[in-house]
Structures are given as structure tokens and as C-alpha cells.
């Protein structure tokens, strides 16, 4: 399944994890005395079906290996990377043995790029697809530490070792409350595989991605590599309410929640005079959805009056939709110390495609930032035009003087013409 990494799916999701979710925040250092290192365990399907040649004329395994080399080269130094295989060793027909065929190919820890590439180069598509057992052991591989933990599962087929249902395994991992996220990647997916991998991802708040062509993979990798150096803030899980009065009070930070189509999620933020509220929300489609959807973020008073809104619409060409807003609270002489509670209301119109589950809701990320607003001197001028008012005044005066000069010249020319 390692070769699958190179296939559009593998590299796209891998780098998404390594780049977007595992880089250190700005200002952090590699010294683990200040912050524990993020951990990633790549779970690679090396079952017999990985021999299939349908990734732009190449085998899934060959594509995955090539992609994996690029992923290893792009992995940040701070990331502790491990590799677990499933279906790599037992070629026989004994179900009991085949469903135990999972092993840690490379231990989770500091990355030796040469050693990791060498280990992957030896893999040959072999046997079964024990996804459930592999996930259980992959979670144990990540035990310990306080940094972020993530499993990236790359597979080209559904589990063949039921009744140990991979979805139930993922829910069990999520229930432990260890903050572990599972992202799944499907190579050349069919309906059954897509549903199973989506279910695994949804259970832990992860994402499912499918890629079928190398050019799609290349584009995705380029985007993710660019994000590798971006600072990452660990989001805080929060549960929005159905009305403002019951909503959680948020401070500046990054928050995650889930919301079904047709629901509303309410949050509250306190804004003091002279401060400015900046908020943004992103909703991601972690399963197949119908085209034509939108997301709306509204800032509302506690009395229900809308202050400002941000909205965005999509047509099926992107899996994430984002919008934002800004609300400056002006200083007032009569209520200098009055803090205003602003209600943030999030709604979206994503709807699951036919046959897809509607629950849990789609993941959303809410960014809240309360900052000092512009000073009165730098703010909009009393005329409402700010510094542009003075420019307008200069232009008006210039035009007036030019008109007087042109009129004087015209009269002088007429007078001279009559004289002659």
C-alpha cells in the first residue's frame, strides 16, 4: 500500500497531515522540554490488490513508493514519523493468520530519511487487508507524550477481516479521549470502500480523501508543501448551542465543532469599547456532498439584530468553504466601560449525497480574534471619508482654480479676437 502513497491519494493526504497538522507553531522550538513533538503513524496497505496497474499506467504500489519518498523529504524535522504495514507479510489463505498481518515497519520517532526510504523500498504487495487490527496497534504505537497524534491510513480496498469493524475500532479510539485523529486515503475507490474509509475518518474528526490521477496528486502535494512552514495552532473542541443565550463564551483562539445541514451553531464573544472582533469560519466536506452549497457567519446582538455578516458559496469544486467578518466597537462617552456581547451564528447548506450518512455533522473551524481597534486619529474621519476627505478637498480646490484660470484665458482670447 506504500506505493499507493505516491498514487494521488497517498501523497495528497500524507502531506496534508505532515504539512498542515504537524508543523510546530511559530516561535516553538524543537526542544521537547517546552512542547512535545507531534507524532504521525502512516498505516500502509500492502495487500495483493496493490499490484493493480491503474494509476496513470503504473501499479498502485509503484506510485505509492515514489510518492512516499517525496513525503519523507518534505517532513518537518520536528515530526516523529512511524510506518505500519498491513497485508505485507502473509501470502496464504489462512484467515486467522492473514488478519494478524500487521507490523511496525519503522518505529515512531526521529526520522532517518534514508532508513525510512530503504524500509519502504523492500515492500511487495502480498496478502490480506486487516484494517481494524492495524488501527488498534497504530494507536498503541503513538502512546505517550502530549503532542498531537495522527494516523494516516492509505488503502485501496475495504477491510477483509470483519467482524472487527474498522468503524467501531475508530469510535473506540475516539472514545479514549487521547486526541488522536485518523485521516484516510482511498486509492481508485469504490462505493463500499469510500463509505468505510469515510466512516473511520468521521469517528475521530479526520478527513477522507480519494485521488485517482497523478496530476491531481502533484497539485495537492504542491499546495501542502507550501503550507509546511505555516504556524499551526492546536484547535480547542467546543460545542455550539442552538441559541445565543446558551452559547459558550469564547476568547481569542481557534475552535472546532461539528454541524449538520439545517442546524445553527451559536457562540458568544465579549467586545469592549475600542476593540474589534474578527471572526472566520471554515466548513469542510468530509464525505460526498451534493453540489451547490454555502456557509454564512453572522454577528448578532443579544437582542437578535444582525450587525454584520460574511457568506460564501460553492458549486462542488472545493471541499472547504470559508468566510469571515469584522466588527469594530466604537468608543462612546456615555458607556466607556460597557462590554458588548456579540453572538456569532454559523449556518451552512452542505447536504450529504445519496447514500451518505448525515451524522455526525460536518467539521467546522471557527477563528476568533479580539484586538484593539484603530485609534481615533487613524479611524474614519468624522466626515466618513477618513484621510480621503483631505484628498477630495485638494482635488475640488484644484478643479476650482483650474476652472477660474480656464475661464480667464477664454475671456482674454475672445477679447483679443474682437479687438483684431
Amino acid at each position: 500500500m506504500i506505493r499507493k502513497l505516491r498514487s494521488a491519494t497517498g501523497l495528497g493526504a500524507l502531506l496534508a497531515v505532515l504539512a498542515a497538522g504537524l508543523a510546530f507553531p511559530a516561535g516553538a522550538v524543537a526542544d521537547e522540554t517546552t512542547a512535545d513533538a507531534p507524532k504521525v503513524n502512516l498505516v500502509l496497505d500492502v495487500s495483493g490488490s496493490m499490484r493493480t496497474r491503474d494509476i496513470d499506467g503504473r501499479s498502485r504500489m509503484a506510485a505509492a513508493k515514489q510518492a512516499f519518498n517525496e513525503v519523507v523529504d518534505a517532513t518537518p524535522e520536528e515530526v516523529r514519523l512511524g510506518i505500519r504495514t498491513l497485508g505485507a507479510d502473509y501470502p496464504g489463505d489462512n484467515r486467522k493468520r492473514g488478519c494478524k498481518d500487521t507490523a511496525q515497519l519503522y518505529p515512531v520517532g526521529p526520522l532517518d530519511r534514508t532508513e525510512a526510504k530503504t524500509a519502504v523500498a523492500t515492500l511487495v504487495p502480498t496478502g490480506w487487508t486487516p484494517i481494524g487490527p492495524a488501527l488498534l496497534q497504530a494507536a498503541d504505537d503513538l502512546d505517550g507524550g502530549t503532542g498531537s497524534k495522527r494516523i494516516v491510513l492509505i488503502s485501496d480496498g475495504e477491510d477483509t477481516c470483519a467482524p472487527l469493524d474498522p468503524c467501531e475500532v475508530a469510535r473506540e479510539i475516539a472514545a479514549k479521549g487521547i486526541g488522536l485523529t485518523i485521516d484516510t486515503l482511498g486509492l481508485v475507490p469504490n462505493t463500499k470502500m469510500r463509505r468505510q474509509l469515510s466512516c473511520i475518518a468521521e469517528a475521530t474528526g479526520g478527513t477522507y480523501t480519494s485521488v485517482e490521477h497523478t496530476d491531481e496528486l502533484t497539485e495537492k502535494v504542491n499546495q501542502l508543501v507550501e503550507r509546511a512552514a505555516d504556524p499551526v495552532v492546536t484547535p480547542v473542541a467546543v460545542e455550539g448551542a442552538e441559541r445565543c443565550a446558551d452559547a459558550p463564551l469564547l476568547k481569542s483562539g481557534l475552535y472546532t465543532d461539528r454541524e449538520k445541514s439545517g442546524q445553527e451553531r451559536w457562540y458568544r464573544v465579549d467586545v469592549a469599547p475600542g476593540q474589534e472582533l474578527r471572526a472566520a469560519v471554515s466548513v469542510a466536506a468530509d464525505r460526498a456532498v451534493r453540489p451547490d452549497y454555502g456557509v454564512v457567519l453572522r454577528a448578532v446582538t443579544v437582542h437578535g439584530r444582525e450587525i454584520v455578516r460574511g457568506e460564501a458559496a460553492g458549486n462542488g469544486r472545493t471541499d472547504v468553504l470559508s468566510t469571515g467578518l469584522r466588527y469594530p466597537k466604537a468608543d462612546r462617552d456615555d458607556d466607556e466601560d460597557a462590554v458588548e456581547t456579540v453572538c456569532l451564528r454559523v449556518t451552512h447548506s452542505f447536504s450529504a449525497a445519496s447514500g451518505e450518512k448525515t451524522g455526525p455533522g460536518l467539521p467546522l473551524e471557527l477563528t476568533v480574534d479580539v484586538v484593539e481597534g484603530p485609534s481615533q486619529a487613524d479611524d474614519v474621519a468624522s466626515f466618513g471619508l477618513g484621510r480621503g476627505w483631505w484628498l477630495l478637498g485638494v482635488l475640488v480646490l484644484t478643479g476650482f482654480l483650474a476652472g477660474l484660470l480656464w475661464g480667464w484665458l477664454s475671456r482674454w482670447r475672445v477679447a483679443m479676437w474682437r479687438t483684431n
Side-chain angles (χ1 to χ4, degrees):
M1 193 61 199
I2 283 186
R3 308 172 184 184
K4 187 182 304 189
L5 255 185
R6 176 46 168 175
S7 76
T9 298
L11 191 40
L14 283 182
L15 286 182
V17 168
L18 298 179
L22 302 173
F24 262 170
V29 294
D31 185 356
E32 294 185 18
T33 61
T34 58
D36 217 349
K39 297 179 179 180
V40 181
N41 208 5
L42 307 182
V43 180
L44 309 176
D45 181 350
V46 195
S47 59
S49 58
M50 288 294 286
R51 301 189 188 98
T52 306
R53 302 177 63 87
D54 56 2
I55 301 294
D56 295 334
R58 310 173 62 197
S59 75
R60 299 173 184 178
M61 199 69 213
K65 285 184 176 181
Q66 185 175 346
F68 178 79
N69 288 337
E70 296 182 24
V71 172
V72 168
D73 289 336
T75 301
E77 293 291 339
E78 299 84 2
V79 174
R80 301 300 180 250
L81 181 68
I83 307 168
R84 172 168 287 277
T85 61
L86 60 93
D89 300 316
Y90 178 67
D93 297 328
N94 186 300
R95 178 186 179 86
K96 187 174 182 180
R97 290 187 60 185
C99 289
K100 293 181 179 180
D101 185 8
T102 176
Q104 191 71 8
L105 181 69
Y106 188 86
V108 178
L111 181 61
D112 183 318
R113 302 178 196 276
T114 301
E115 185 177 343
K117 291 180 181 179
T118 300
V120 170
T122 64
L123 293 174
V124 177
T126 302
W128 297 61
T129 313
I131 293 177
L135 291 178
L136 281 175
Q137 295 191 40
D140 291 338
D141 298 336
L142 296 171
D143 189 36
T146 59
S148 62
K149 301 179 180 68
R150 190 175 296 267
I151 292 173
V152 180
L153 168 65
I154 304 100
S155 180
D156 69 341
E158 64 272 13
D159 181 271
T160 56
C161 292
L164 186 57
D165 186 346
C167 287
E168 293 300 324
V169 170
R171 295 186 184 105
E172 178 183 330
I173 291 173
K176 293 180 179 179
I178 57 177
L180 192 157
T181 302
I182 303 175
D183 293 293
T184 59
L185 311 174
L187 296 178
V188 193
N190 55 49
T191 300
K192 186 176 181 180
M193 181 188 75
R194 184 180 69 247
R195 290 179 179 175
Q196 185 174 85
L197 295 184
S198 295
C199 178
I200 294 170
E202 291 167 14
T204 61
T207 59
Y208 164 72
T209 306
S210 64
V211 185
E212 301 181 33
H213 302 289
T214 304
D215 58 346
E216 297 173 344
L217 173 61
T218 301
E219 181 179 356
K220 187 68 174 178
V221 171
N222 288 337
Q223 295 173 358
L224 296 172
V225 169
E226 290 177 0
R227 290 188 214 160
D230 290 348
V232 176
V233 177
T234 302
V236 177
V238 66
E239 186 173 350
E242 295 183 357
R243 59 176 187 166
C244 180
D246 301 326
L249 184 62
L250 306 182
K251 297 181 179 180
S252 294
L254 178 64
Y255 302 89
T256 60
D257 200 354
R258 282 186 174 270
E259 180 181 17
K260 292 183 179 179
S261 181
Q263 279 187 324
E264 293 182 354
R265 277 288 186 263
W266 288 86
Y267 313 89
R268 293 182 298 150
V269 182
D270 284 342
V271 185
Q275 291 185 328
E276 180 175 274
L277 167 63
R278 302 174 183 176
V281 66
S282 297
V283 178
D286 61 357
R287 71 208 71 173
V289 297
R290 294 187 177 91
D292 298 327
Y293 40 74
V295 60
V296 181
L297 174 63
R298 297 178 176 88
V300 183
T301 68
V302 292
H303 302 295
R305 178 179 62 85
E306 183 175 299
I307 304 170
V308 64
R309 71 163 63 184
E311 53 190 349
N315 56 11
R317 300 185 64 180
T318 179
D319 293 332
V320 179
L321 210 55
S322 304
T323 188
L325 57 81
R326 298 175 65 178
Y327 169 54
K329 179 172 172 55
D331 289 308
R332 295 182 181 178
D333 295 335
D334 57 345
D335 60 351
E336 291 182 354
D337 298 324
V339 174
E340 179 181 5
T341 297
V342 177
C343 304
L344 294 177
R345 175 188 174 193
V346 179
T347 55
H348 73 78
S349 57
F350 284 86
S351 58
S354 178
E356 293 290 334
K357 294 182 179 179
T358 58
L362 297 184
L364 67 84
E365 279 194 352
L366 177 66
T367 302
V368 175
D369 197 11
V370 180
V371 300
E372 291 302 317
S375 66
Q376 196 68 25
D378 294 333
D379 201 358
V380 176
S382 57
F383 293 101
L385 296 174
R387 294 176 179 174
W389 171 262
W390 302 107
L391 177 59
L392 180 60
V394 171
L395 292 175
V396 171
L397 180 60
T398 302
F400 176 72
L401 295 176
L404 288 177
L405 179 60
W406 179 257
W408 183 82
L409 289 174
S410 297
R411 290 187 178 187
W412 179 77
R413 290 177 61 188
V414 171
M416 291 296 294
W417 177 77
R418 288 178 177 177
T419 302
N420 296 328

